[in-house]
Amino acid sequence: MGKWYRKAVSKAAVLIVGILSGAAFLTSFAVGTTFAGTVNPAEIMTMVNQPYEESVDFKAAVNESVAQVFNMFRLKNFFEMDGAYNSEKPVDVMEYYRDGRSDGEYSSGIVYTMGDLVEWGEDFSSDSNDDYTENEVIVCQRPDGGYYYYYLDEFLSLFRSGELSMEFDDGYTSQEFYLQGLENSMYESSGAAGGMKIYGSDGNLLYTDCWNFGQTLREKFAPLGAENLLQIVNNSENLNGRLSSAYDALEMTLGTIYNEYALYESGWDYLEEGNTNLTYLYINTDTKRIETNKSEYKNYEDAEKNLEAMKSGDHVKYMFVYPKLKDFETNMNVSAAGEWEVVKSQRMSRESGIIFAASVDTSYPIQDQFYEGRESYERNVPFLRYSMTALIAGAALLLVSTVWLAVVSGKRPEDEEIHLSSFDRWKTELGAAVVIIIWAVVTWIAIGGGYVAGSWSELNDAVTYYAESLGGVPQLYSAMFTQALGMSDVTAVFLYGVFTFLCFFWGFTSLIRRIKAKSLWKGSLLYALIRFTRLVMDARSVTVRAGILFFAFLFVQWMAILVRSGSTVLLALAADIAAAWLVLSSAMAKNRIKKGIEEIAGGNLEYRIELAGLRGEDRKLADKVNDIGSGLNKAVDEAMRNERLKTDLITNVSHDIKTPLTSIINYVDILKRSNIADEKIRGYLDILEAKAQRLKTLTEDVVEASKVSSGNINLEYMDVDLRELVRQTEGELAEKFAARNLTVVLNMPEEPAVIHVDGRRMWRVLENIFGNAAKYAMPGTRVYADLTLSAEKVEFSLKNVSEQQLNFSANELTERFIRGDLSRSTEGSGLGLSIAKSLTDRQSGEFELYLDGDLFRVNIRFPRRPAAQEKNE
């Protein structure tokens, strides 16, 4: 279980936890802020434990209801005379445009009856496109700087009748031409024709300029006291030059008055006693006027007593606004100055003697918007709590997962190396751009297309409310009141969160691995650019010429593009031909050099690159390659001569050693057969015999290794049943195994394991392998010899546990004079496995060594002789 946290399974599990916890964090954040209507964590945590009556939702509901009360007062005051609707009531549109009221001053003079404006407004709201056709106005400027307005038809008829005439100082513009231009909606600004003068029929100068004001509102009704709007504007000093303001006021009035009339007609039943938990009391101490929705509060003499009654009781929230801020009273969670200013901002309550009181029965005996708001609030607050809990848990798990992955990224249990993925080898900026672009594109599609949170409201403050007319009764909406999140919405956000944090961990873990491997900077495009620039500067003897040619080519091309003359085009064409010739000739030269390198690398050291047609650096490079071929040829010849000399030397020396060594062994044998009584001398003879035999074996191994490595051996191939050869070898070395208390376990197939090899050399391979196990296996253990067959192969495997620690690689054991016993306390030349591998390779076999801790294994594979061939032969 060492370093289990680095295993791929552990990292995958942590990654999944991190992605899911991140998605849960994002989903909880979205749900919580949507329910709360704010992204302020302090406000959200306050709302979690806050009763409805202390919430900003309740406060906003009260404010909205109060606003509805004052709007009722305003509309009644606007549409009624003597307490009833009067269609003949005069309305000054400029006053209505300014403050939404009409108090009877009529200062602007643009006055219509209420009935005309309501009827006109209904028509205007239904189809305003027909209200701006064929009603153009001409503006004329008087010599004193004032203005006079005509309708176009009226203006043209005055010229036709001769009552007006037009002159121009330039001598080119005629009256007919200019009037035709005005009729065609031209000349829409002053000064269109310089030096214009318009005279009356008596020859007096009336105007110094005129132009087309443009299409204006078609007048369905005339104002009171005039035939049309222009008549009032022309006769009013206050409106002279302000025709645009007059039309803006009229258009705004028509656009809103019908909607307000419809609201006035629908009534305020929802604010009446018995239909709402809200009680309001409006007291004008100057006029002793009372406005209230509670019948028992309508007596002015009982106002003080009624105010006390409104704030009495255990289930009442109230707010009293007096003329002075210091007298403000409330038990709601509101700002005194803010609420006082909201109420006083109602223009009709700016009188000094106004008292306004509002209270809400929080036992909610009536199922109005306050009752529904409380029900929705208490239904949604638990979800808000759950989302906050999930938010905190998700954030904690996300943090732990992020730190965990930062620690283990790039690490594996088996070593301390930093392992990079293929993506980590991308350039740093390119990898970051890929992650960011993929995330941004999917985000744009998901959110911009409405697939994620498409039906959710924007995250607004909780005090933001919406009004919607439903059956004539305004309904209050807030996040906590009305948010109903379906599983499809939550699932879409969760899946988007999974994708987002998948991209995050993809980029994050890659960044960590790059930092650990110190490749963040060295693997960046900027580093590559700087390094490339440095290499270019270092090789400036070559790059300067190429750079000059390249920029000269670009200069010619851009000059041809910008100048576009015949000479520059011909010059660019010549440059293109020259560039094509250089590129193609260089490509052919590089191909010729490449072929030469491939030939020499393939062993054809006599190959020479043809130098004809090569120029410059290509010719120098080809010449160097030819020199390399010649040098390699000489080196190979020299190496072969040296190898032959070494082989001859080893063979001759071994032969010279073998002759006296044989004599020594024979004389030792003779001495041992003599009747020598001295035990010490007999011991010396035993040692001398053992060392002589070891020297003989070493000499034979050296000669054998030399012959095998030089290829100076003859192989006599035959079909051999490897089973028999293994049993024979094991039997001949049984004494050595028994001497070290080793048990050989043979696993042999029933079928013949026939291979085509040199039997004598194959026996030598097996002898070396078994002998190696007999020397180095841990005493008292088992040695496993397994022979397996497949359709194409015969494989022999020998396994044992080493007595000595194997602190080197498997490849080193097949080198010459390398022994498993580094202390060299056991017999052996260090050539056994090297000879076995060389003989196996010479016979078209495969020889492999595996080390796993102290487990040593040899695998030998040979092609299997087909069964039909075995039978025939």
Side-chain angles (χ1 to χ4, degrees):
M1 294 295 290
K3 299 182 180 178
W4 56 270
Y5 51 89
R6 292 186 182 180
K7 292 185 177 180
V9 174
S10 301
K11 290 191 282 188
V14 174
L15 177 61
I16 292 172
V17 169
I19 293 172
L20 294 180
S21 60
F25 170 82
L26 181 63
T27 305
S28 302
F29 177 80
V31 171
T33 52
T34 302
F35 274 128
T38 178
V39 296
N40 188 332
E43 291 184 17
I44 295 175
M45 296 308 296
T46 300
M47 294 177 69
V48 168
N49 300 308
Q50 193 177 51
Y52 171 62
E53 288 74 21
E54 299 296 325
S55 69
V56 290
D57 284 343
F58 179 78
K59 169 190 170 183
V62 171
N63 288 342
E64 182 66 21
S65 296
V66 169
Q68 289 292 323
V69 170
F70 280 106
N71 190 47
M72 175 182 68
F73 293 163
R74 183 185 68 82
L75 293 181
K76 283 184 176 182
N77 184 66
F78 176 68
F79 284 104
E80 294 179 357
M81 288 182 67
D82 300 326
Y85 173 72
N86 187 345
S87 62
E88 298 300 322
K89 179 181 178 179
V91 177
D92 189 313
V93 296
M94 296 295 286
E95 184 182 358
Y96 182 79
Y97 174 70
R98 184 175 60 252
D99 54 29
R101 305 175 187 277
S102 183
D103 296 332
E105 297 180 2
Y106 316 132
S107 58
S108 72
I110 306 177
V111 181
Y112 294 85
T113 65
M114 181 71 74
D116 288 348
L117 287 175
V118 170
E119 183 181 348
W120 193 358
E122 182 180 9
D123 183 62
F124 182 83
S125 300
S126 62
D127 191 0
S128 60
N129 292 330
D130 292 340
D131 296 323
Y132 293 89
T133 58
E134 301 177 359
N135 199 45
E136 293 182 88
V137 171
I138 302 301
V139 184
C140 293
Q141 187 172 15
R142 296 195 296 260
D144 61 0
Y147 299 94
Y148 198 87
Y149 302 94
Y150 294 93
Y151 291 111
L152 177 63
D153 292 342
E154 176 191 4
F155 187 68
L156 295 177
S157 66
L158 291 175
F159 282 94
R160 294 190 191 102
S161 65
E163 295 183 40
L164 294 177
S165 61
M166 189 180 292
E167 293 182 1
F168 301 91
D169 292 345
D170 57 14
Y172 297 102
T173 307
S174 65
Q175 174 178 300
E176 292 75 12
F177 180 80
Y178 195 84
L179 292 176
Q180 186 178 4
L182 289 176
E183 190 173 6
N184 293 328
S185 301
M186 298 172 60
Y187 312 126
E188 294 183 347
S189 61
S190 62
M196 172 189 288
K197 294 181 178 61
I198 299 178
Y199 298 93
S201 59
D202 56 0
N204 293 326
L205 177 64
L206 299 179
Y207 310 112
T208 58
D209 198 1
C210 73
W211 62 90
N212 197 321
F213 182 82
Q215 287 189 343
T216 55
L217 185 67
R218 179 169 56 87
E219 298 182 48
K220 185 173 183 178
F221 296 98
L224 296 178
E227 296 179 2
N228 53 55
L229 179 63
L230 295 187
Q231 191 178 97
I232 294 177
V233 174
N234 288 330
N235 295 328
S236 172
E237 292 183 3
N238 292 331
L239 294 175
N240 191 266
R242 296 178 57 201
L243 181 61
S244 295
S245 299
Y247 274 119
D248 288 344
L250 182 57
E251 290 173 8
M252 192 282 292
T253 299
L254 295 176
T256 59
I257 195 168
Y258 178 72
N259 292 332
E260 291 198 333
Y261 175 75
L263 181 60
Y264 167 79
E265 281 290 292
S266 66
W268 286 272
D269 292 343
Y270 61 93
L271 290 176
E272 293 181 356
E273 186 177 8
N275 294 333
T276 179
N277 293 300
L278 172 74
T279 299
Y280 66 86
L281 180 59
Y282 173 89
I283 306 171
N284 190 330
T285 59
D286 296 331
T287 63
K288 295 181 173 50
R289 173 189 166 196
I290 294 286
E291 293 284 350
T292 182
N293 64 344
K294 196 161 187 177
S295 57
E296 60 188 85
Y297 292 170
K298 291 186 177 181
N299 190 355
Y300 179 80
E301 285 71 18
D302 297 331
E304 290 293 331
K305 180 181 69 173
N306 294 335
L307 288 174
E308 289 297 324
M310 286 182 67
K311 62 181 180 180
S312 63
D314 297 332
H315 303 287
V316 174
K317 290 290 182 181
Y318 61 87
M319 176 178 67
F320 292 177
V321 180
Y322 292 96
K324 300 296 184 181
L325 177 60
K326 65 184 180 64
D327 299 324
F328 183 89
E329 289 186 62
T330 185
N331 66 347
M332 291 192 291
N333 183 23
V334 297
S335 166
E339 297 303 322
W340 182 83
E341 182 58 36
V342 167
V343 173
K344 300 298 286 184
S345 66
Q346 307 295 327
R347 289 187 62 84
M348 67 178 301
S349 63
R350 283 290 183 182
E351 295 90 348
S352 60
I354 297 298
I355 299 173
F356 182 80
S359 66
V360 178
D361 186 350
T362 56
S363 64
Y364 306 110
I366 300 170
Q367 295 186 5
D368 63 348
Q369 65 265 33
F370 291 99
Y371 170 83
E372 294 177 357
R374 194 272 308 270
E375 292 297 308
S376 296
Y377 188 92
E378 293 184 352
R379 183 171 59 250
N380 288 335
V381 161
F383 288 102
L384 185 60
R385 294 193 187 103
Y386 301 151
S387 65
M388 290 300 99
T389 302
L391 180 73
I392 296 171
L397 285 175
L398 177 62
L399 178 61
V400 171
S401 302
T402 302
V403 173
W404 187 313
L405 290 173
V407 172
V408 302
S409 287
K411 295 292 188 70
R412 293 179 183 173
E414 61 269 16
D415 56 43
E416 295 299 323
E417 299 291 328
I418 303 300
H419 300 273
L420 300 178
S421 67
S422 57
F423 177 74
D424 298 337
R425 292 181 173 84
W426 290 23
K427 295 300 182 183
T428 301
E429 299 89 339
L430 181 60
V434 167
V435 175
I436 293 172
I437 289 173
I438 290 176
W439 176 83
V441 169
V442 173
T443 298
W444 180 76
I445 294 173
I447 297 180
Y451 299 104
V452 172
S455 61
W456 289 21
S457 301
E458 288 185 33
L459 300 181
N460 296 291
D461 290 339
V463 296
T464 302
Y465 283 75
Y466 305 90
E468 180 180 287
S469 179
L470 182 62
V473 180
Q475 301 295 310
L476 300 181
Y477 287 88
S478 78
M480 287 299 290
F481 278 15
T482 62
Q483 290 301 333
L485 304 180
M487 280 304 298
S488 59
D489 297 318
V490 176
T491 302
V493 174
F494 182 80
L495 293 177
Y496 172 72
V498 169
F499 168 76
T500 295
F501 283 94
L502 181 62
C503 291
F504 167 74
F505 282 113
W506 178 21
F508 174 75
T509 54
S510 178
L511 175 65
I512 294 298
R513 289 192 294 268
R514 293 168 190 259
I515 293 174
K516 290 180 178 180
K518 300 180 180 179
S519 64
L520 183 66
W521 166 243
K522 291 186 177 180
S524 66
L525 286 173
L526 181 59
Y527 177 82
L529 179 62
I530 294 173
R531 186 170 178 271
F532 176 75
T533 304
R534 186 179 302 161
L535 292 174
V536 169
M537 295 304 298
D538 292 343
R540 53 185 173 272
S541 59
V542 177
T543 56
V544 167
R545 177 173 174 271
I548 291 173
L549 290 174
F550 175 72
F551 285 109
F553 176 77
L554 286 183
F555 174 77
V556 171
Q557 301 301 314
W558 279 104
M559 188 172 65
I561 293 172
L562 298 176
V563 177
R564 296 183 182 178
S565 64
S567 59
T568 57
V569 171
L570 290 176
L571 183 61
L573 181 61
D576 292 339
I577 294 173
W581 180 80
L582 286 173
V583 170
L584 294 176
S585 60
S586 179
M588 291 185 291
K590 295 293 189 299
N591 186 61
R592 193 187 301 182
I593 296 170
K594 176 186 174 185
K595 183 179 178 182
I597 294 173
E598 290 174 348
E599 289 287 340
I600 294 172
N604 186 5
L605 302 181
E606 301 293 335
Y607 186 86
R608 296 294 178 268
I609 300 173
E610 179 62 42
L611 300 179
L614 299 181
R615 296 176 178 82
E617 295 298 325
D618 291 333
R619 186 181 183 91
K620 292 179 182 178
L621 182 59
D623 205 14
K624 296 294 184 183
V625 172
N626 288 340
D627 292 342
I628 290 173
S630 300
L632 286 175
N633 199 10
K634 292 178 182 178
V636 168
D637 290 341
E638 185 68 25
M640 291 180 66
R641 283 197 301 271
N642 291 338
E643 188 65 26
R644 283 196 295 269
L645 287 173
K646 287 191 290 184
T647 301
D648 292 342
L649 176 62
I650 291 172
T651 303
N652 293 334
V653 170
S654 298
H655 185 271
D656 291 342
I657 293 174
K658 193 173 182 181
T659 301
L661 185 57
T662 302
S663 300
I664 292 172
I665 292 172
N666 291 336
Y667 281 115
V668 168
D669 184 55
I670 293 172
L671 289 173
K672 288 186 68 177
R673 293 179 184 178
S674 301
N675 190 13
I676 299 175
D678 192 337
E679 290 296 329
K680 183 181 289 188
I681 294 176
R682 293 184 64 85
Y684 290 156
L685 290 176
D686 290 338
I687 294 172
L688 183 59
E689 181 183 33
K691 298 303 180 183
Q693 288 292 346
R694 182 177 178 184
L695 182 59
K696 180 182 179 182
T697 301
L698 176 60
T699 304
E700 290 174 350
D701 287 345
V702 170
V703 173
E704 185 75 17
S706 176
K707 289 180 179 180
V708 172
S709 63
S710 65
N712 190 20
I713 59 173
N714 294 320
L715 298 177
E716 298 179 1
Y717 285 95
M718 64 185 70
D719 286 345
V720 176
D721 188 347
L722 191 57
R723 296 180 305 167
E724 302 300 330
L725 208 55
V726 169
R727 290 192 183 99
Q728 178 186 346
T729 307
E730 188 272 335
E732 292 187 8
L733 298 178
E735 292 183 4
K736 290 187 177 182
F737 284 112
R740 304 197 68 216
N741 195 21
L742 296 173
T743 303
V744 179
V745 180
L746 293 177
N747 294 313
M748 297 291 150
E750 296 295 333
E751 303 176 57
V754 180
I755 56 177
H756 197 61
V757 294
D758 185 324
R760 186 166 62 90
R761 306 295 183 184
M762 192 63 211
W763 182 88
R764 182 63 184 274
V765 171
L766 294 176
E767 181 193 30
N768 288 356
I769 293 173
F770 275 95
N772 184 76
K775 292 174 188 175
Y776 302 116
M778 181 180 290
T781 60
R782 297 182 182 87
V783 178
Y784 292 91
D786 300 320
L787 187 63
T788 57
L789 303 177
S790 66
E792 303 292 335
K793 296 284 186 180
V794 174
E795 181 172 353
F796 174 71
S797 174
L798 188 72
K799 293 178 288 187
N800 66 269
V801 177
S802 176
E803 182 179 10
Q804 302 291 330
Q805 182 180 359
L806 300 177
N807 52 358
F808 39 77
S809 66
N811 291 333
E812 292 182 68
L813 285 176
T814 57
E815 296 179 8
R816 296 180 185 179
F817 305 109
I818 297 296
R819 294 165 59 182
D821 177 14
L822 295 182
S823 65
R824 308 185 76 86
S825 59
T826 59
E827 294 186 7
S829 61
L831 294 170
L833 294 179
S834 175
I835 294 172
K837 184 178 187 309
S838 298
L839 288 174
T840 302
D841 293 340
R842 290 281 294 173
Q843 298 178 88
S844 303
E846 300 174 22
F847 188 94
E848 297 174 349
L849 295 183
Y850 293 96
L851 300 181
D852 187 0
D854 292 334
L855 177 64
F856 177 83
R857 185 178 70 185
V858 180
N859 282 352
I860 301 175
R861 299 186 194 88
F862 282 97
R864 184 180 180 186
R865 295 287 282 176
Q869 187 172 347
E870 294 171 17
K871 184 176 180 181
N872 294 334
E873 297 182 358

